[in-house]
Amino acid sequence: MSAEAAWTSTWNVSASGWTADDSPKVSVDRQGDALLTWTAGDLSTTYSYRRVQTRVKFANGTTGAVRTLSPDGTSVAWPEADSDDTGDSAVVWEQDSQVVGRRVAASGSLVGSVQRLSTSGPATGPVVAVTPGGTAMAAWMERRDGSWYAVARRLYLDGTLGAPITLGSGSAEKPAVCVDGSGRFVVAWVRGSEVVARRISASVSATKVLTTSIASYGMFGMVRVGVDRDGDAVISYRSGGGDRSQVWASRWSRTGTLAAPLRISTSTDNVGFHHALATDLDGDSIIVWTRYNGNNLELLGRRLSAAGTRGTVTNLGLGDRPDVVLDDDGDGMLVFHTVVPTSTIPYSYTKTSARLISRSGAFGTTKTLTSDGRVPQVDARPSSRFTVIWQQATHPGTIRSVTGP
């Protein structure tokens, strides 16, 4: 067994004297260097002022300095990050009712200044994907003359911007974006009672409606996107109409063929709010969702093959806020948190756990990463090595991380 095939020690990502929000993110490049991103406030100042901060954990185990990407603000929130093959990254977030972004070099140093991406306000729900060569595409929803629109924009390696691309009308629901190996982006979002998607390369494709055959389920949201190396896309989403909430997936090939939506949750599930999707280079996916069982939330998961075959549903026990990732070959990891009741004050604690996923879609045993952690996120190296980030559940909400196994 390689010396690397074990969990590292958990370490404090954010600085002492700072308190964090519940939105940490991690992005790992092809060498295994991880960009860790979060929002935090200085405890020695007024709590209402926040900053977006980043830090690199290099594959050799060394760590870079904490970098502050944003000016202080009262509404700095929801950062998202992605990296190219060599570690150059893009970070986007909400600030003062606008969507802004900034590039971060592989060394962890900042590139250029903060750029305003949105063209109108309020703007919300930013997401970002970066091509293997480094061009980033951010997408978000913004309000114009009383209506919501999905908008996208390139953020280049040097920190400069492309022209805004208005994709079409939408809602305030957060969109999703992903990119294939050739640099072709897929953006999906909610438009009224539909889920729609477009591809962006040198040109922008026509809008594809994904949910025509299940329109009666309506009230769609929580859109997720995964693509394989060639650009075949899997788009998952939650429906809130019908007898009960459900999770669905649509498969949209790179040639434009759209398969009928597949019900991922079972028809008797009363699906919770969160679900997660990951797709490997061959197009096989893992989808994990929450389901209400009485007053408890439990996790369920299944594999969706590149051919559209749904695997057996696995009950993964109690949990919430799942995140899932697959490496190039389909080995993966699920992370989640669980609120555990106790008989003494504060009458519960929140633990963060992980489960490995095999290439066939089998879930391994649960490993508790911490008994004091929430909202974990995970990303992978090309081959079976994962970095997890979470927020400490107790004050002061330190951001922590571990790599393994």
Side-chain angles (χ1 to χ4, degrees):
M1 180 180 293
S2 113
E4 194 179 55
W7 291 94
T8 65
S9 298
T10 300
W11 64 288
N12 290 344
V13 180
S14 56
S16 176
W18 290 73
T19 181
D21 289 341
D22 65 345
S23 54
K25 296 293 178 181
V26 56
S27 177
V28 179
D29 68 18
R30 303 290 293 180
Q31 287 66 241
D33 300 326
L35 180 75
L36 307 159
T37 305
W38 66 97
T39 58
D42 187 344
L43 286 170
S44 66
T45 63
T46 304
Y47 290 1
S48 59
Y49 290 97
R50 321 299 293 172
R51 300 176 182 178
V52 173
Q53 298 185 318
T54 60
R55 192 173 193 178
V56 176
K57 176 67 176 288
F58 297 100
N60 64 10
T62 61
T63 57
V66 174
R67 312 271 186 171
T68 296
L69 275 63
S70 68
D72 286 349
T74 57
S75 58
V76 179
W78 312 121
E80 297 280 347
D82 196 27
S83 305
D84 69 11
D85 283 359
T86 59
D88 293 300
S89 303
V91 182
V92 298
W93 65 94
E94 292 180 29
Q95 180 140 4
D96 301 326
S97 299
Q98 298 290 336
V99 169
V100 300
R102 196 166 191 180
R103 296 300 303 234
V104 179
S107 64
S109 62
L110 306 183
V111 178
S113 58
V114 175
Q115 294 275 27
R116 174 176 158 175
L117 305 177
S118 52
T119 67
S120 180
T124 188
V127 290
V128 67
V130 181
T131 69
T135 298
M137 182 72 72
W140 64 91
M141 310 304 298
E142 66 179 52
R143 191 86 166 164
R144 299 177 184 171
D145 299 324
S147 299
W148 287 99
Y149 290 87
V151 187
R153 196 168 197 174
R154 289 179 173 88
L155 179 57
Y156 295 106
L157 273 167
D158 63 359
T160 60
L161 296 177
I165 304 167
T166 301
L167 298 173
S169 60
S171 70
E173 284 281 343
K174 186 174 184 174
V177 64
C178 207
V179 65
D180 66 21
S182 65
R184 180 170 46 179
F185 299 92
V186 176
V187 182
W189 71 98
V190 175
R191 182 181 71 182
S193 59
E194 304 170 320
V195 178
V196 298
R198 300 183 78 172
R199 283 189 166 92
I200 306 173
S201 53
S203 59
V204 183
S205 75
T207 302
K208 181 70 73 171
V209 180
L210 308 179
T211 53
T212 301
S213 63
I214 56 170
S216 61
Y217 289 89
M219 297 174 61
F220 296 110
M222 298 298 291
V223 181
R224 305 284 185 262
V225 176
V227 296
D228 65 16
R229 61 165 57 86
D230 299 321
D232 297 313
V234 176
I235 299 139
S236 63
Y237 41 91
R238 180 183 184 272
S239 67
D243 293 335
R244 62 194 74 236
S245 299
Q246 299 281 279
V247 174
W248 305 81
S250 294
R251 295 168 51 251
W252 185 28
S253 77
R254 62 188 180 278
T255 60
T257 301
L258 178 65
L262 296 170
R263 192 197 306 265
I264 300 302
S265 54
T266 64
S267 60
T268 57
D269 285 350
N270 185 16
V271 168
F273 191 67
H274 294 283
H275 80 273
L277 163 73
T279 303
D280 68 18
L281 292 184
D282 290 332
D284 299 316
S285 300
I286 292 290
I287 304 175
V288 177
W289 64 98
T290 58
R291 177 179 70 182
Y292 289 101
N293 184 356
N295 293 325
N296 297 316
L297 270 175
E298 58 187 10
L299 292 166
L300 299 101
R302 76 190 312 176
R303 185 175 186 262
L304 177 64
S305 77
T309 301
R310 288 167 289 189
T312 302
V313 175
T314 301
N315 190 320
L316 302 167
L318 298 181
D320 195 9
R321 299 295 291 267
D323 191 37
V324 65
V325 69
L326 299 177
D327 70 10
D328 288 0
D329 299 320
D331 297 301
M333 179 175 284
L334 163 69
V335 295
F336 57 95
H337 77 216
T338 308
V339 178
V340 181
T342 65
S343 59
T344 57
I345 296 174
Y347 301 114
S348 69
Y349 67 92
T350 304
K351 65 179 182 179
T352 283
S353 304
R355 295 178 78 142
L356 292 174
I357 306 168
S358 73
R359 297 179 190 181
S360 64
F363 292 87
T365 58
T366 299
K367 175 181 175 59
T368 299
L369 301 180
T370 177
S371 59
D372 185 10
R374 60 188 306 274
V375 293
Q377 299 284 293
V378 62
D379 203 10
R381 298 185 191 182
S383 180
S384 300
R385 186 78 170 162
F386 306 94
T387 297
V388 186
I389 188 173
W390 65 86
Q391 180 195 9
Q392 185 175 303
T394 58
H395 184 78
T398 302
I399 300 298
R400 310 199 76 197
S401 181
V402 69
T403 297

